[in-house]
Amino acid sequence: MRYLLIILKSFAAVLVAAAIIFIVGALVPRPFWPVEQNPVTQPRQVLLLSNPIHTDLAFPADPDVLQRLSFLTNDNFQLTDPRIKWIIVGWGGRSFYLETPTWAQLKFMPLMRGISIDNSVMHVEPTGAFDINQPHIEQLSVSGKAFDAMLQNVVTSFQTDNTGNALMIAGAQYGLNDRFFEANGRFSAIVGCNTWTSAILRSGGLRTGFWNPMPQSLVWSLKRYNTF
């Protein structure tokens, strides 16, 4: 009984510590001091899409964006369809991302790899027009310079071959239009999909919480420390 009480107390202490870190990570902004922003005269739009555990970014399928992402194209994946209006991109753990298209397909090993350490992949989904006025979508209006910086950091998240082409993962996709690619960086419970999204946003001069492992803290801190 004594050992059981020790285990329960230790578990409770871990939960309390995790809750404190989670709250502090959202409350403490990064960077700590506000960055002076010049007036945005010709804004570009980026979308932050979130669900209970994951965030993605969506860039408009403008000519310059499609040109920057042309290294993704191959015989089985093209970005030339005129119906494409947005390119949705996200970063995540290889096992969990590839093997869990829906919650109903959740498996033990991908979950464990996601909690520990795993290789990373990029998910890309070109899509047509959709209603962006939804609760899980944040519309971010940024300068052209910030937009370019964010897009460039997305580009450098992909692994490429000697010719500069992205390394697509054969047979890995959720539907007809999306694809997975090899990514740079290692995924873990500390450095996860939402911390990647936070880093991309900060590269464009936006402020987020210091550590945002979950979408809720990222969205809250983004609204708290920025004006759009």
Side-chain angles (χ1 to χ4, degrees), residues 68-84:
R68 294 280 294 279
L69 298 179
S70 61
F71 74 105
L72 301 176
T73 61
N74 54 55
D75 292 341
N76 298 309
F77 186 66
Q78 300 289 329
L79 299 175
T80 55
D81 192 320
R83 294 173 295 180
I84 297 174

Side-chain angles (χ1 to χ4, degrees), residues 94-130:
R94 184 185 183 95
S95 296
F96 190 86
Y97 223 159
L98 295 184
E99 299 179 40
T100 317
T102 66
W103 279 110
Q105 294 168 281
L106 179 63
K107 301 175 184 177
F108 178 77
M109 286 309 299
L111 178 62
M112 289 299 99
R113 292 191 186 99
I115 294 175
S116 55
I117 297 177
D118 196 6
N119 292 325
S120 61
V121 296
M122 294 291 294
H123 184 235
V124 180
E125 182 179 7
T127 183
F130 58 89

Side-chain angles (χ1 to χ4, degrees), residues 37 40 42-49 56-60 64-65 68-69 71 86-91 122 138-158 195-208 218 222 226-228:
Q37 299 284 348
V40 179
Q42 295 182 319
R44 302 289 299 271
Q45 192 174 46
V46 179
L47 305 180
L48 172 64
L49 288 68
D56 287 313
L57 293 171
F59 293 86
D64 62 320
V65 174
R68 294 280 294 279
L69 298 179
F71 74 105
W86 296 93
I87 309 295
I88 301 174
V89 294
W91 182 91
M122 294 291 294
E138 302 300 326
Q139 303 176 45
L140 313 178
S141 182
V142 300
S143 68
K145 182 178 180 180
F147 183 93
D148 290 342
M150 284 191 279
L151 185 57
Q152 178 58 32
N153 277 272
V154 168
V155 169
T156 57
S157 296
F158 289 85
T195 60
W196 175 87
T197 304
S198 299
I200 298 297
L201 295 173
R202 287 195 301 271
S203 72
L206 301 177
R207 300 173 78 201
T208 71
L218 171 55
L222 191 65
N226 302 274
T227 301
F228 302 106

Side-chain angles (χ1 to χ4, degrees), residues 47 128-134 136-137 139:
L47 305 180
F130 58 89
D131 181 12
I132 63 175
N133 297 304
Q134 301 182 55
H136 68 283
I137 298 177
Q139 303 176 45

